[in-house]
Amino acid sequence: MRDAYVVGAGQSDFGSFPGESYRSLFRTAFEHTLEGTAVEPGDVDEAIVGTLGVGGRQLGLPGPAVTEHVGLHGVPTTRVENACAASGYAVRQGVQAIRSGMADLVLAGGVEVMTDVSAEAVRYWLGVSGETEWERLSGTTFAGVYAQMASAHMREHGTTVDQLSHVAVKNHANGAKNPHAQLGFECSLADASAAPTVADPLTLYHCCPTTDGAATVLLASEDAIDRFTDARVRVAGVGAGSDRVGLFQRDTYSGVPAARRAAGTAYDRAGAGPGDLDFAEVHDCFAIAELMAYEDIGLCERGEAGQYIASGATRPDGETAVNTSGGLKSKGHPIGATGAGQVVEAFDQLTGAAGDRQLDAPEVGLTHNVGGSGGAAVVHLFERDHDWADVSDGEVVA
């Protein structure tokens, strides 16, 4: 089975852009993805696009609508919908196409426009990724669902509101260094804990924003990679998992079994473990989601996530840096683009292109993308390939 490599990755700014469309945002991401590569649109064998289609725009054939717009004429294009994990699964399908031999170069990505509809409509479109009959139609919001998860974690493990707030403080500090971030400002622990309550115990600073944006990734086979770039990042392992869509249907409220399964599979396929990670981009749609992710991907034991973040272990200078991009909390959460956006950060870190957020010579990174409250999850492990030189900023670094 052939190896797959990321040879390019890019995104638009994330935020609110009344003057942009889903097509123009996707074009921006695609153009950034091509930078530093020798890829021409005609080289792409297949494209996979993740989107929920918030607001009802182009519900049928949104994939070809964006790929034709950027010049991928006639390229077979598939739309993936797995809620907030849509483009994470798009990347996974791209890796599968490469490894199967069906394609040598695949574009995988996602796009969403969420800020041009009313707050009520946004809540509706977010809610469709929850269990429809018993959760959404009974009035439950996603903030309400994750508040139940936070309450369960607090009850079972003694997690505190301030420990939730540490997620916001860290991710806003990271996002303040990210020029693509929607909420690029810092906040204090007091700001986060004392902010207005959205769904008890979650405050405003414990919740990510709604966002417009796009992100794309180019994946190449080991047979074709030398034609396109010298900057290569190997996809070391991929794992995915599904679960019951409704939180009330699961055996636990304080973890995401689909993410645990996805991480376990990815580690097994990579021949690696949590101790090998230099950084991770995890799905922090709400602060409790990041804490559960620590436990689900094995950074700490079950119930220890609150103490783990308070110790500083996930800061950029800590044991395993988490969400150097700012995460969904600060960078933003354009549903269909989020998973691919995580891969953009991993690619930038592993190729020395993360700017002010750059870690010191990272070798292995992980992305963790969750759909809904855990109905789907996908995890990728990426590693720096030592057969190439980092040529960022015009300097070769062995």
Side-chain angles (χ1 to χ4, degrees):
M1 190 164 55
R2 303 186 304 175
D3 272 338
Y5 292 82
V6 182
V7 298
Q11 66 169 88
S12 70
D13 290 344
F14 283 5
S16 176
F17 306 111
E20 300 284 352
S21 70
Y22 71 102
R23 285 187 170 103
S24 67
L25 289 166
F26 193 87
R27 175 181 287 279
T28 297
F30 180 64
E31 289 175 348
H32 286 317
T33 300
L34 294 180
E35 293 171 2
T37 77
V39 173
E40 299 290 339
D43 296 324
V44 178
D45 297 316
E46 189 161 342
I48 303 133
V49 178
T51 185
L52 183 65
V54 170
R57 64 183 52 75
Q58 196 56 50
L59 284 179
L61 299 176
V66 293
T67 56
E68 284 290 322
H69 182 68
V70 301
L72 302 186
H73 303 308
V75 173
T77 301
T78 303
R79 180 262 188 100
V80 174
E81 185 285 296
N82 238 356
C84 318
S87 60
Y89 269 83
V91 173
R92 176 177 180 263
Q93 287 193 207
V95 172
Q96 290 175 324
I98 296 291
R99 289 181 171 174
S100 72
M102 290 185 66
D104 278 318
L105 187 67
V106 175
L107 180 73
V111 63
E112 212 74 69
V113 175
M114 303 179 67
T115 66
D116 64 345
V117 295
S118 69
E120 290 76 15
V122 168
R123 284 195 292 271
Y124 170 83
W125 281 102
L126 289 170
V128 300
S129 299
E131 201 281 331
T132 299
E133 186 175 7
W134 297 104
E135 286 184 346
R136 185 170 66 81
L137 293 185
S138 66
T140 303
T141 64
F142 260 119
V145 169
Y146 275 91
Q148 292 177 63
M149 299 169 94
S151 295
H153 206 279
M154 289 175 158
R155 182 175 62 253
E156 294 170 16
H157 306 301
T159 309
T160 67
V161 170
D162 277 356
Q163 288 169 346
L164 293 173
S165 297
H166 276 291
V167 174
V169 173
K170 172 181 64 68
N171 291 352
H172 273 281
N174 292 342
K177 298 178 181 179
N178 186 348
H180 294 301
Q182 180 176 8
L183 304 179
F185 56 83
E186 297 190 28
C187 73
S188 69
L189 195 65
D191 290 335
S193 293
T197 299
V198 173
D200 190 49
L202 302 179
T203 75
L204 183 63
Y205 275 84
H206 299 152
C207 308
C208 74
T210 54
T211 312
D212 307 334
T216 56
V217 177
L218 279 165
L219 298 158
S221 72
E222 62 184 46
D223 301 326
I225 186 172
D226 290 339
R227 291 160 40 199
F228 303 123
T229 186
D230 291 327
R232 57 186 68 177
V233 169
R234 179 173 172 265
V235 183
V238 183
S242 296
D243 204 342
R244 295 178 182 271
V245 174
L247 177 63
F248 71 94
Q249 297 171 305
R250 299 187 209 141
D251 293 332
T252 179
Y253 278 28
S254 58
V256 179
R260 291 201 295 274
R261 288 192 289 271
T265 301
Y267 288 136
D268 286 346
R269 290 177 175 169
D276 296 305
L277 301 179
D278 295 305
F279 67 89
E281 286 288 303
V282 306
H283 198 93
D284 62 319
C285 50
F286 298 90
I288 185 59
E290 178 162 328
L291 296 188
M292 291 190 298
Y294 297 168
E295 299 171 7
D296 291 335
I297 67 174
L299 296 185
C300 64
E301 297 297 324
R302 293 291 301 278
E304 294 181 359
Q307 301 98 305
Y308 190 67
I309 190 170
S311 74
T314 58
R315 291 197 300 253
D317 60 351
E319 178 181 300
T320 305
V322 175
N323 285 341
T324 54
S325 69
L328 286 62
K329 177 63 196 77
S330 174
K331 184 182 179 185
H333 182 27
I335 289 176
T338 286
Q342 293 177 326
V343 179
V344 173
E345 181 70 11
F347 182 77
D348 285 349
Q349 288 289 349
L350 292 170
T351 57
D356 291 341
R357 306 182 313 284
Q358 183 62 53
L359 300 172
D360 183 17
E363 298 283 339
V364 180
L366 174 149
T367 62
H368 155 279
N369 190 199
V370 174
S373 62
V378 58
V379 170
H380 292 85
L381 262 71
F382 301 94
E383 66 178 14
R384 186 176 187 271
D385 190 316
H386 289 281
D387 291 335
W388 61 274
D390 178 356
V391 294
S392 61
D393 299 325
E395 296 182 4
V396 175
V397 181

